[in-house]
Amino acid sequence: VEIVLPNYGIITNVGRAHLEGFGSFEGVIKTKGELYDYIRRTKGKIFIKKENKDLQGIAKGIEQITYGADDTSFASGHVISCNPFLTFDWKQQGKIHTVDTHLIGAYNLDNVLAAVAIGRYFKIPAERISRAIAAYEPTNNRSQLKETASNTLLIDAYNANPSSMKVALENFTAMPVSPKAVILGDMRELGPASDELHAEAIEEIKKELLPLVTLITPNIDEAKVLTGKSIHNIQDMQTAAKMLTDDYQTNVLLKGGHLEGDNMCDLLHTSEFIYHIYEEKKIESHNLHGTGCTLSSAIATYLAKGYPMRESIQHAKTYITQAIIAGKELNIGHGNGPLWHFPDTVAQMCTF
């Protein structure tokens, strides 16, 4: 601020991001609040969401230009729909303006209302404000929709943090589409709180998404996280699988490749409370990277072709076995290598 010397300022939000550098959520607020401190000293003005208690708590003594859902805000508006893009309305001098955006998620209402507030304050005509917001198409991996030959991708991956991930998961859960799949990467720069905050994200996934899926395929370590139980043998696997089925009312394939012994046992527990064990010899190989992801994808493919659950899993496991055998001798890069997904034996076996 001492370099820019601003007359106006805006902090759109404060969340649990970059904690590694700021030390805590309070540190985030303090550091971002330095902008407010300067604006307060220089008698400037801030654009601020009226309902944001964290920001309002550090904005005392500053002239505010407010936005939000509160009708008394300088710029107020409401979500009309999100299917998949946000449509919202905003009001100026009694006239309602409706805008169809190219942004995903109701959580973007705050962002577009901030733009409305800034435009209104600097006397931009209402029609130009609405046109500009409607014309904006994100290309920076934030609230971005991309159509491929086979899928519709919702890309919201830039600067992921616990606060943004929570609202993104809530929005994704509410979207009326099926089937749906979510891919979540690690959240970086969270410092000592990283494990705790990732655990919170897992709880959000468990609550919002697992009840919607056809089959979950955790390995032993993942099942321990989901159930909080130790798993050392088939009996423990049965107990854990039943817990998961009871909790989420879905089918569970618990993968036992991490258990000791020469045989690998995977256990299916269905929502109809039917157990089935798939047992075969373990294959020694250093090239096992991507086995679990490939298995899940193969099962989904067979289910989509109309095969029953048990048969889909058996076909998928046969495919994985062939892919592991075919990839045993691969020497690609360093460390664990990949399977080989397209050997002749697999191509002959897959009758699509």
Side-chain angles (χ1 to χ4, degrees), residues 172-184:
F172 185 61
T173 302
M175 292 179 71
V177 295
S178 181
K180 61 176 75 171
V182 62
I183 301 171
L184 301 177

Side-chain angles (χ1 to χ4, degrees), residues 227-253:
T227 64
K229 301 292 184 182
S230 297
I231 302 172
H232 302 289
N233 51 48
I234 290 292
Q235 289 73 31
D236 292 341
M237 290 177 66
Q238 289 178 325
T239 300
K242 184 178 185 304
M243 287 179 62
L244 293 172
T245 300
D246 290 344
D247 287 344
Y248 307 114
Q249 299 300 302
T250 190
N251 303 297
V252 178
L253 178 68

